[in-house]
Amino acid sequence: MSRPDTSASGEPRVGTNIGRRTLLKAFGATAVAGAAATTLGARPASAETSYDVIVIGAGFAGVTAARELRAAGRRPLILEARNRIGGRTWTTTFAGKQIELGGQWLYPTQVNAQAELTRYGIDLVPGEIAPNQAFYPTPAGQAAFEIGAATTQFNALMSTLFADSRQLFPRPYEPLSARSAVSQADTLSLRTKINSLPITAQDKMWLLSLAASYSGGSSDRGGFTSMAQWWALAGHTPAGWESLTSYRPVGGMVALLTRILLDAQAQLVLNSPVTRIVDSGSSVTVTTTTATYTAPRVVVAVPANVWRTISFSPGLPAAHAAATQAGLGVPNVTKMWLRVSGPSAQALTNGAEGEQISLILPQNQLSNGDILAVGFSENPSLDVTNLSQVQAAAQRVAPGIQVKSVISQPWGRDPYSLGAWGMRGPNQLLQQLPAVQQPSGRLAFATADIASGWNGAFIDGAIESGRTAARQTLATS
Ligand SMILES: Cc1cc2nc3c(=O)[nH]c(=O)nc-3n(C[C@H](O)[C@H](O)[C@H](O)COP(=O)(O)OP(=O)(O)OC[C@H]3O[C@@H](n4cnc5c(N)ncnc54)[C@H](O)[C@@H]3O)c2cc1C
């Protein structure tokens, strides 16, 4: 089973006095239902209606920007291409369990995400089950390891790879606080850095497996400083790094996002892909596939890879144009949830760079003993809609595993993300990051892909960027 998220045109769904309970139900956020009623869009959006600010994109960055702008007294309109909110987060169900097809975990010390969780009284809970063995690549092929020994070895390798992270990122939320140290390291791909380490061929395979998976299939694409900054943000320790994939919010990402959206009291128009943005100097006109809207200010909160599909007049600043052409969101990634059984069902599995499945991580156990596991593929040769192909690919990396069913989302082929999480490539920190964070005319840009702190692969960065864009918008209006 596969459900690509290709919702595009169709009649805009316009909120008209939607009650809080109805809204929460519509977006599946039952965990926070029951609070007081509010208004989401008191009147139909139309070409005649203008707003204080138009926010394009209802992911965490856009919804946070809208909430902050509302708090400052502005009336926001949110235009969203899909038929749902959440963007690269997508809470749904599989085999009777709530799952995430996009962003899944939050980390207790992520300051921006934690502030939102605290504000809305949403707890983080740890995963339900832990792996009971491990599969890792070796020069002789995929092999089974005792989980404790594999974890110890992997942690030592990560500490070696990021041995100089404290010099590179002494203040991790300010990625250029040690500019001269960073300037040398920023030229390196993860592959170049890993191949320079004095470690065994097998150890390199382990690190390259992780690097390739995060980088969208090729360890040469991901920048060393991108992952080194995440390591620094996680406290420069293996324990911190492990915690990045340990905690999820009660009710799923949609529960948190819906609470932020309710506070934005925004008009939300779904099924409205924006195709053109014209900044006249005195106002901005935004054209979707079905309507045109005008406002004094706009927050562009779509993924950086999507900027290249929108016609901007005047054109995008040079750094934005370069970033969207090169891409900040990593290509090729398909996230899967696998229902599995067999002797390897509860294994932590890392496939070698180039394998069709790079990672399998057990998450839940069902009452009949089956395991639900998260899986990732960055190899376009795998047809994730073909169960026997998925079974064969899983068997190669986790011998003995039986795949009973799969649900997946191919983020690289999704027209409204054109990639998965953001991850800078070599040189993109120094050459592009500060510039793409800047507003242009009456436009501000918001997305995790351009955050200062938890950049790219983290919801925390989306929230940070949404706050920044709101501040930039308010400072000039
Ligand atoms: C598979 C996967 C796993 C991840 N795992 C984690 C994790 O465990 N923890 C974590 O913290 N982060 C994770 N991330 C990263 C995190 O999900 C993202 O960084 C974050 O959600 C990005 O938010 P955003 O608002 O910047 O962008 P998006 O969520 O992409 O929001 C942008 C919005 O703009 C809309 N849009 C696009 N084009 C148009 C258009 N033309 N007109 C109108 N609207 C448009 C999109 O539909 C979308 O709703 C993961 C991401 C992926 C893909």
Side-chain angles (χ1 to χ4, degrees):
M1 174 174 30
S2 176
R3 280 198 328 205
D5 187 18
T6 52
S7 56
S9 56
E11 284 309 297
R13 183 179 137 186
V14 180
T16 47
N17 292 319
I18 296 176
R20 188 180 189 108
R21 198 178 286 268
T22 311
L23 176 66
L24 293 171
K25 202 171 160 208
F27 295 126
T30 48
V32 290
T38 190
T39 297
L40 177 88
R43 53 190 173 162
S46 76
E48 284 74 53
T49 307
S50 65
Y51 301 85
D52 295 323
V53 57
I54 297 171
V55 176
I56 304 170
F60 269 91
V63 169
T64 302
R67 197 262 324 264
E68 296 299 297
L69 289 160
R70 168 66 68 179
R74 305 300 193 273
R75 291 172 306 141
L77 165 70
I78 304 177
L79 299 176
E80 167 54 49
R82 303 176 210 256
N83 64 358
R84 63 172 182 84
I85 62 170
R88 284 173 281 175
T89 63
W90 188 7
T91 310
T92 183
T93 54
F94 176 55
K97 290 277 184 185
Q98 185 180 67
I99 61 152
E100 302 285 353
L101 281 171
Q104 176 170 349
W105 295 287
L106 295 176
Y107 178 50
T109 65
Q110 291 177 320
V111 295
N112 298 290
Q114 190 57 51
E116 300 298 339
L117 292 167
T118 303
R119 175 174 179 157
Y120 296 114
I122 296 176
D123 289 331
L124 289 181
V125 289
E128 289 180 16
I129 56 170
N132 59 9
Q133 62 172 322
F135 287 101
Y136 273 93
T138 76
Q142 198 72 356
F145 291 83
E146 192 271 316
I147 186 71
T151 304
T152 303
Q153 174 66 3
F154 181 78
N155 287 347
L157 290 172
M158 291 293 279
S159 299
T160 303
L161 175 58
F162 298 121
D164 51 359
S165 67
R166 288 177 199 279
Q167 287 74 51
L168 293 172
F169 298 108
R171 296 198 295 279
Y173 279 89
E174 299 167 41
L176 293 176
S177 53
R179 182 179 271 270
S180 70
V182 163
S183 67
Q184 289 160 27
D186 199 39
T187 61
L188 303 176
S189 72
L190 277 160
R191 182 183 295 170
T192 306
K193 177 70 183 181
I194 291 165
N195 281 331
S196 75
L197 298 175
I199 56 177
T200 67
Q202 178 169 309
D203 289 343
K204 283 183 185 171
M205 290 182 84
W206 287 27
L207 288 178
L208 289 169
S209 154
L210 174 92
S213 182
Y214 269 96
S215 305
S218 168
S219 59
D220 212 26
R221 187 209 164 274
F224 168 63
T225 61
S226 194
M227 197 179 271
Q229 187 191 0
W230 298 340
W231 175 265
L233 285 157
H236 306 272
T237 63
W241 184 263
E242 246 177 77
S243 298
L244 296 183
T245 48
S246 298
Y247 301 96
R248 59 185 179 79
V250 172
M253 290 305 167
V254 73
L256 177 58
L257 185 64
T258 305
R259 296 300 293 265
I260 302 173
L261 177 61
L262 287 167
D263 276 355
Q265 297 174 54
Q267 182 100 29
L268 168 67
V269 189
L270 298 174
N271 298 315
S272 297
V274 168
T275 56
R276 186 162 167 74
I277 303 172
V278 178
D279 179 352
S280 72
S282 55
S283 68
V284 188
T285 302
V286 176
T287 304
T288 72
T289 50
T290 52
T292 297
Y293 306 88
T294 301
R297 304 276 157 184
V298 164
V299 174
V300 181
V302 304
N305 287 14
V306 172
W307 297 341
R308 63 180 182 256
T309 69
I310 297 173
S311 164
F312 287 86
S313 177
L316 280 172
H320 292 71
T324 191
Q325 285 309 331
L328 283 170
V330 302
N332 302 324
V333 174
T334 292
K335 181 171 178 180
M336 298 171 271
W337 279 77
L338 310 163
R339 180 174 182 157
V340 294
S341 63
S344 310
Q346 208 173 324
L348 161 66
T349 299
N350 287 274
E353 179 168 8
E355 272 292 351
Q356 287 187 317
I357 292 180
S358 60
L359 178 69
I360 303 176
L361 191 55
Q363 299 293 297
N364 316 90
Q365 184 151 36
L366 302 179
S367 53
N368 73 343
D370 287 355
I371 300 286
L372 294 190
V374 169
F376 288 91
S377 172
E378 300 82 30
N379 186 330
S381 72
L382 177 66
D383 177 359
V384 288
T385 65
N386 182 326
L387 186 59
S388 55
Q389 275 197 30
V390 175
Q391 167 66 24
Q395 274 280 354
R396 268 199 307 280
V397 291
I401 200 167
Q402 295 298 320
V403 182
K404 294 183 161 179
S405 56
V406 57
I407 185 173
S408 58
Q409 168 61 7
W411 292 101
R413 295 206 302 275
D414 181 321
Y416 303 124
S417 59
L418 295 176
W421 52 81
M423 183 185 200
R424 297 183 303 259
N427 300 310
Q428 282 189 306
L429 171 52
L430 273 164
Q431 290 179 9
Q432 289 172 1
L433 184 67
V436 295
Q437 294 176 326
Q438 298 310 309
S440 171
R442 292 176 168 266
L443 313 185
F445 294 84
T447 167
D449 308 338
I450 62 170
S452 289
W454 291 93
N455 178 289
F458 300 95
I459 289 155
D460 189 274
I463 297 167
E464 176 215 297
S465 182
R467 287 179 175 276
T468 302
R471 272 200 309 276
Q472 290 169 338
T473 302
L474 293 168
T476 52
S477 53

